[in-house]
Amino acid sequence: MKLDNVSTGATMEFLLLGFSELLCLRVLLFLVFLTALLVTLAGNMMIFLAVVMEPSRPPMLFFLCQLSAIELCYTLVIVPKALLSLAVVEGSTISFLGCAAQMHLFVTLGGAECFLLAAMSYDRYVAICQPLRYMVVMSEGLCLRLALMCCLGAFAVSLGLTVAVFRLPFCRSHRIDHFFCDVPAVLHLACTQSYAPELSLLAACVLLVLLPFLLILVSYLCIAVALLHITSSVRRGKAFSTCISHLAVTLLHYGCATFIYIRPQSSYSPARDKVVSLVYTNITPLMYPLIYSLRNKEIRGILRKMLRKKKVAQVNWDTIRVVMCV
């Protein structure tokens, strides 16, 4: 194959086309991205601060705090560049190293979330199947080790995938038909006839997506068996209700990830991928705070406590102002 414009040096640039084919919808898409960014940041920051300020945090709240931190970083890695690509008619440029860094951070955060969801499913398993030993098993030390393993494991796999992708020669146009440096979109530019790039993506998917999913599946199979042994329908419903938020988030995250990454490169469709990516980079991070704040009684309690403190502080401040005026 003749290589045109082959360059993999640090001086090479990519052009993110974003939604350049939808010129008439640019303003609408910009407003959607901006609104999603602001609401996602506000919602996840609220949950993060609420949990951090709570002196006694059960394990699930600890994991939820980490999940909110991941979503905050996840949004900041993707959405600002997407907003820039919408603001510039010709699309926005990104350097070779910038594209590699964005891909590495994106895959790291997405993988860490997969591992974290597996850790949260184990937390639900212990809470339902071994309630008397819950606080002993899910100790603070174990929670910290699980959180660290989630981040380090995802970082290592993401680094290997990013290096494998950006070692490829890019002989096609450097125009990425996407609003960020997603793995399938960058692989589509590579001029290689081998299946090595797809194998590296497949290996990353097995480690970051399939393995945590199997762990979640095993946890919920054990939970289902335990629920079948509960004779009281009220107790069974109460126990299952503690898993609904986690199940909803898991289905959202794995549904999008499976659709985008676990498939052959030959089925790549830029338009379809951008729509799905729009959902899992903007809509799902926006929904996570809503799901957990509405379904999790601990979060609702903490938020109510924060609002009461804010009201008390406001009343005290108003009183001080009145006294000073007098």
Side-chain angles (χ1 to χ4, degrees):
M1 174 183 285
K2 181 180 178 180
L3 305 185
D4 297 324
N5 195 25
V6 176
S7 175
T8 55
T11 59
M12 191 177 85
E13 286 189 339
F14 293 103
L15 179 66
L16 294 172
L17 298 179
F19 295 92
S20 56
E21 72 277 11
L22 302 175
L23 293 176
C24 57
L25 297 177
R26 293 179 74 87
V27 176
L28 177 61
L29 287 172
F30 184 88
L31 293 175
V32 169
F33 272 76
L34 182 60
T35 303
L37 172 64
L38 296 177
V39 176
T40 299
L41 292 178
N44 284 290
M45 183 63 73
M46 181 178 62
I47 291 180
F48 179 79
L49 292 176
V51 176
V52 167
M53 294 170 62
E54 182 67 17
S56 58
R57 291 188 295 271
M60 180 53 86
L61 288 188
F62 173 82
F63 291 132
L64 185 55
C65 180
Q66 187 183 3
L67 181 64
S68 294
I70 288 174
E71 291 304 325
L72 283 170
C73 299
Y74 196 79
T75 303
L76 292 173
V77 166
I78 301 299
V79 181
K81 196 66 178 177
L83 286 172
L84 183 60
S85 69
L86 286 169
V88 181
V89 176
E90 299 83 7
S92 63
T93 59
I94 185 170
S95 67
F96 180 87
L97 294 178
C99 189
Q102 187 185 52
M103 180 186 292
H104 175 57
L105 290 173
F106 171 74
V107 176
T108 297
L109 293 166
E113 186 170 338
C114 288
F115 286 135
L116 185 61
L117 290 173
M120 294 169 78
S121 70
Y122 177 71
D123 172 84
R124 291 300 83 205
Y125 158 75
V126 177
I128 293 174
C129 300
Q130 303 179 40
L132 299 179
R133 301 183 61 240
Y134 177 69
M135 295 308 298
V136 176
V137 175
M138 298 303 297
S139 63
E140 184 178 355
L142 177 63
C143 292
L144 287 172
R145 287 194 297 272
L146 287 174
L148 186 62
M149 288 169 59
C150 290
C151 295
L152 292 179
F155 181 89
V157 176
S158 175
L159 182 61
L161 176 61
T162 305
V163 170
V165 170
F166 282 90
R167 287 182 63 188
L168 298 171
F170 297 103
C171 58
R172 302 179 187 178
S173 168
H174 295 161
R175 298 157 66 91
I176 300 177
D177 195 0
H178 213 300
F179 55 87
F180 71 100
C181 292
D182 201 7
V183 181
V186 176
L187 281 179
H188 188 64
L189 303 180
C191 52
T192 176
Q193 297 290 348
S194 70
Y195 290 98
E198 291 188 40
L199 290 177
S200 62
L201 178 57
L202 179 62
C205 287
V206 169
L207 293 172
L208 296 179
V209 179
L210 185 59
L211 179 60
F213 180 76
L214 290 176
L215 295 175
I216 293 172
L217 188 61
V218 170
S219 295
Y220 275 103
L221 285 175
C222 295
I223 290 173
V225 171
L227 291 178
L228 290 175
H229 288 86
I230 298 177
T231 55
S232 172
S233 59
V234 175
R235 288 179 56 204
R236 189 186 304 121
K238 186 177 179 180
F240 180 72
S241 66
T242 63
C243 304
I244 292 178
S245 298
H246 178 261
L247 279 172
V249 170
T250 300
L251 290 174
L252 280 172
H253 185 73
Y254 276 94
C256 294
T258 302
F259 181 85
I260 290 289
Y261 300 110
I262 304 181
R263 64 173 188 195
Q265 184 69 12
S266 57
S267 64
Y268 172 72
S269 170
R272 183 180 57 195
D273 280 21
K274 281 190 286 188
V275 172
V276 179
S277 298
L278 181 65
V279 172
Y280 76 76
T281 58
N282 290 270
I283 307 303
T284 53
L286 175 66
M287 293 180 66
Y288 289 173
L290 296 175
I291 292 172
Y292 274 104
S293 60
L294 292 175
R295 294 294 313 176
N296 192 292
K297 64 179 182 180
E298 288 89 356
I299 289 293
R300 293 200 303 269
I302 294 173
L303 293 178
R304 280 196 294 266
K305 190 186 299 184
M306 288 180 63
L307 291 175
R308 283 197 297 268
K309 288 181 179 179
K310 183 178 179 181
K311 288 180 181 179
V312 170
Q314 183 65 39
V315 170
N316 292 338
W317 174 244
D318 291 341
T319 304
I320 292 172
R321 289 177 60 185
V322 170
V323 171
M324 292 177 64
C325 291
V326 172

